[in-house]
Amino acid sequence: MQKNTDLSQIEMRNSYTRLLNLIPGAVFRSEISERKHAFSKNYGVCLKFVSDGMYKLIDVTPDTLDHGVNLVDSLILPEDRDVVREKIYTSFVEDRPYQMVYRMRLPSGTIKWIWEQGEVVCGESGELLFLEGIMMDLSEYKAIENSLKEEKSMSALSCRTANGFGLMVGTSDPMQALYSQLEKAAQSSSNVLILGETGTGKELCAQTIHELSGRKGAFVPVNCGAIPEQLIESEFFGHVRGAFTGAVGNRDGFIKAAHEGTLFLDEIGELPLHLQVKLLRTLESKQFTPVGSNTPQRSTFRLIAATHQNLASMVKSKTMRSDFFYRINVLTVKIPPLRDRRGDLDLLIEAYLNANNTAGQVPQHVRAAMEQHSWPGNIREMHNFLERFFMFGDASIEGFDCDGCEAFFPDTDTPLEESVKAFEYRLIVQAMEKCRWRQGEAAKLLGLNLRTFQRKIKYHNLSK
């Protein structure tokens, strides 16, 4: 009877071994040479059992892998080995399993990425028995991950053009700083808050971040100030049939539509307090419940919010919840107003003419007036002005806050020579400011050779 029991146990062990050998990875058991009171980060182990997957994983033959030594530990890259030992030691101290990713250099010289999960096994009296777990080869996945990162980086580089970044136009220093912020924001999955005055192009920035991030889902823009308050919850979370009068069928909301994509909330300061509470819960759990339903749904969207308001002041005045503000204000992107990037004006005018197939030109005296204007409405105001100019001409300039424009609109009694001198002076100043007072670039911009340009600078007594 005892003999039959022994045979049964042997068959069971063989069955388990066959099963472990089928796992697409390596199962191992190592004996720990130390006792519990002496266990440290420099513990010693020797292999007692490995599944067949180990030989394929580390590219050795069974006779090469002596179960009495720990060849596996010696293959771990030196810069990763201390981290591995720290993880295992912490796992023992906290009495919980561990998980980690590290690199190995195989005997052939190949580097492999390894995912390992395991635990330290102790006996009933607390003595250390084994270190056992499973190892998987992550090298292919790491190669794909690196490839995706490279593609994302190349995508960002391809967005940069001679005149701007993607659909955005401008080469000034403030815009270069903005482009760098957008690239960094695209590499993260954190919430983004875009700050900028009205008409600066906040939605365009949000769309650029979405496209560079490579998210699979859609870009869903929402103007928070344009939704009636009685419908706002349904618009965001959706509703089921019969949830309220007029709900004749199920309808998805913005959050469901943005699954695996980007939800862009423009003018987020307009959201009522009660919706901030519900949206905060959704941002934390990525779960929401449609109006009239009891079944939670999941949406892994990324939030990008935008506003021209001072949200910190709104928190102080209790018109915005502080917890909601801190949840959306993780990464901050600031868009410069048009008055801080006047050097981009010519590029913006050219982009407008091309986008609208406008054959006309903007005369120099109009450009001068545009340069002096403060543009409180930013790009949107500039586009409206250009449309008005091509319809009504110089009358469109009336009302511009263009101090100093009189040099371009001399009185009829002013001699021609003085008018030309004033006009030339202003052109040179504009060119120098645009080229950051680099004379060679300014001369080239005006179509002059450097010697002639320097002579004119001296004639006008110009200095930075």
Side-chain angles (χ1 to χ4, degrees):
M1 183 68 178
Q2 179 65 37
K3 186 176 181 180
N4 290 338
T5 302
D6 291 343
L7 285 173
S8 177
Q9 290 177 347
I10 292 172
E11 289 175 1
M12 184 69 73
R13 281 197 299 270
N14 291 338
S15 175
Y16 286 150
T17 301
R18 285 195 301 272
L19 181 62
L20 294 175
N21 287 335
L22 291 174
I23 293 177
V27 178
F28 68 89
R29 169 177 281 180
S30 300
E31 187 177 66
I32 300 176
S33 59
E34 302 179 22
R35 292 302 173 191
K36 184 172 184 179
H37 67 275
F39 189 67
S40 68
K41 297 173 190 177
N42 297 318
Y43 58 85
V45 296
C46 60
L47 287 170
K48 289 299 180 182
F49 168 81
V50 294
S51 65
D52 287 350
M54 180 67 79
Y55 309 121
K56 182 179 179 181
L57 184 71
I58 63 175
D59 196 23
V60 296
T61 57
D63 57 324
T64 306
L65 189 62
D66 182 359
H67 292 183
V69 297
N70 193 4
L71 173 63
V72 176
D73 186 69
S74 67
L75 296 178
I76 299 174
L77 293 188
E79 54 266 40
D80 290 358
R81 192 175 297 133
D82 288 343
V83 178
V84 169
R85 287 179 169 271
E86 176 76 33
K87 276 273 189 183
I88 294 174
Y89 178 74
T90 303
S91 165
F92 164 73
V93 172
E94 297 179 359
D95 192 23
R96 59 175 176 79
Y98 64 83
Q99 257 190 59
M100 56 188 170
V101 175
Y102 56 86
R103 294 164 297 171
M104 278 185 175
R105 188 186 301 277
L106 305 187
S108 63
T110 304
I111 300 292
K112 274 193 176 181
W113 285 89
I114 305 295
W115 172 86
E116 182 179 321
Q117 178 173 303
E119 63 179 338
V120 178
V121 181
C122 298
E124 292 182 0
S125 58
E127 73 276 16
L128 294 169
L129 297 179
F130 305 109
L131 174 65
E132 56 187 18
I134 183 171
M135 301 161 61
M136 305 285 286
D137 185 359
L138 281 187
S139 301
E140 278 190 35
Y141 299 102
K142 276 292 180 181
I144 293 172
E145 181 183 316
N146 292 336
S147 175
L148 289 174
K149 284 182 180 177
E150 189 174 334
E151 282 181 21
K152 203 177 281 188
S153 177
M154 291 300 293
S155 176
L157 287 173
S158 67
C159 280
R160 288 191 180 267
T161 64
N163 294 333
F165 186 77
L167 296 176
M168 288 178 286
V169 175
T171 57
S172 60
D173 288 345
M175 291 304 288
Q176 295 296 341
L178 173 63
Y179 302 154
S180 296
Q181 289 179 5
L182 297 180
E183 287 176 349
K184 291 175 182 176
Q187 294 169 10
S188 169
S189 58
S190 301
N191 298 333
V192 180
L193 179 61
I194 300 176
L195 303 176
E197 297 177 6
T198 298
T200 49
K202 294 186 284 293
E203 183 172 340
L204 187 57
C205 285
Q207 194 161 6
T208 300
I209 293 173
H210 168 75
E211 290 174 357
L212 284 179
S213 69
R215 296 183 71 86
K216 294 186 292 184
F219 176 77
V220 181
V222 180
N223 187 335
C224 298
I227 307 172
E229 189 166 346
Q230 62 270 25
L231 295 178
I232 197 164
E233 190 172 337
S234 170
E235 290 293 314
F236 271 87
F237 302 109
H239 62 255
V240 297
R241 180 180 179 182
F244 50 83
T245 303
V248 295
N250 295 344
R251 184 177 183 276
D252 292 335
F254 299 135
I255 292 175
K256 180 72 174 290
H259 177 55
E260 295 188 332
T262 301
L263 179 64
F264 172 59
L265 301 185
D266 196 9
E267 295 307 336
I268 197 167
E270 302 294 330
L271 285 179
L273 288 170
H274 75 274
L275 187 69
Q276 291 178 26
V277 176
K278 295 187 176 182
L279 195 54
L280 176 63
R281 190 177 302 118
T282 299
L283 289 172
E284 291 173 344
S285 66
K286 297 300 180 184
Q287 291 188 332
F288 67 98
T289 304
V291 177
S293 172
N294 295 319
T295 306
Q297 298 184 24
R298 185 167 179 79
S299 176
T300 55
F301 64 93
R302 181 195 192 173
L303 178 71
I304 300 180
T307 184
H308 74 282
Q309 302 181 56
N310 187 330
L311 298 186
S313 296
M314 293 181 64
V315 171
K316 290 181 180 178
S317 63
K318 307 296 184 183
T319 52
M320 173 168 280
R321 293 177 58 95
S322 60
D323 50 1
F324 182 68
F325 170 68
Y326 294 125
R327 172 60 67 176
I328 64 174
N329 187 23
V330 180
L331 304 178
T332 304
V333 172
K334 295 182 180 180
I335 308 178
L338 183 53
R339 62 181 171 274
D340 290 346
R341 42 179 294 226
R342 297 180 190 275
D344 294 329
L345 200 58
D346 287 342
L347 292 175
L348 291 167
I349 293 173
E350 183 181 349
Y352 174 87
L353 297 177
N354 292 335
N356 293 276
N357 294 319
T358 303
Q361 296 295 320
V362 180
Q364 189 60 46
H365 71 278
V366 176
R367 291 177 183 249
M370 293 176 71
E371 289 223 4
Q372 294 295 319
H373 187 50
S374 61
W375 300 108
N378 293 289
I379 306 297
R380 186 181 297 123
E381 181 190 358
M382 191 202 74
H383 287 172
N384 291 342
F385 165 75
L386 289 172
E387 185 176 348
R388 191 163 61 248
F389 168 75
F390 284 111
M391 188 173 294
F392 298 117
D394 285 0
S396 306
I397 305 174
E398 294 178 7
F400 262 23
D401 51 341
C402 51
D403 296 335
C405 290
E406 60 273 6
F408 290 91
F409 304 101
D411 296 331
T412 53
D413 295 336
T414 304
L416 177 63
E417 185 178 353
E418 290 184 27
S419 299
V420 171
K421 181 180 178 181
F423 183 73
E424 184 179 77
Y425 172 86
R426 184 59 186 165
L427 278 180
I428 293 173
V429 170
Q430 287 176 358
M432 291 288 277
E433 288 177 345
K434 186 170 185 178
C435 298
R436 303 180 189 87
W437 292 84
R438 290 193 282 263
Q439 295 184 10
E441 292 183 18
K444 186 177 180 181
L445 183 66
L446 293 176
L448 301 173
N449 64 54
L450 182 58
R451 191 181 184 90
T452 301
F453 185 71
Q454 288 174 335
R455 192 164 56 245
K456 288 183 178 293
I457 288 177
K458 185 175 181 181
Y459 170 74
H460 290 288
N461 194 26
L462 269 172
S463 66
K464 186 175 181 181

